Amino acid sequence: MAEAVFFSEENHKGASRALGIGRHQVGKESSISSARVPQGWTATLYTGTDFDGEQHRVTGDAPTLGGFNNRTASIEIAGPPVSARASILESETKIDSLSDIRVVFE
């Protein structure tokens, strides 16, 4: 499983912390200065511990967070969007139940 990795120093150095998709409170004392976020993912960094305050989005390799260095208190990580489409197995068939519907995730 892929994870976003956050580093305590710029240029992906120092202590690291890997986080998966979801919401994470890292606390006011966090020292995050660079990040690596998997392709298609978005990590939104917040200065507030409740996913509030100033925010900074990271969508790839970030060797520095600029003015956001050592200011992150919470992080929300979203993976790539999942597309879904529904199709009727036989277009002439009356749909009587969910078993007549097929969902395909791409």
Side-chain angles (χ1 to χ4, degrees), residues 54-86:
E54 293 179 56
Q55 54 184 278
H56 178 73
R57 284 192 172 78
V58 179
T59 57
D61 196 34
T64 181
L65 299 177
F68 238 75
N69 281 356
N70 301 321
R71 296 183 59 215
T72 301
S74 55
I75 303 170
E76 186 170 19
I77 301 172
V82 176
S83 64
R85 61 182 166 89

Side-chain angles (χ1 to χ4, degrees), residues 85-103:
R85 61 182 166 89
S87 62
I88 299 173
L89 295 175
E90 294 179 27
S91 60
E92 302 290 322
T93 305
K94 179 182 175 188
I95 298 175
D96 293 320
S97 70
L98 290 178
S99 64
D100 294 332
I101 299 175
R102 176 182 62 175
V103 178

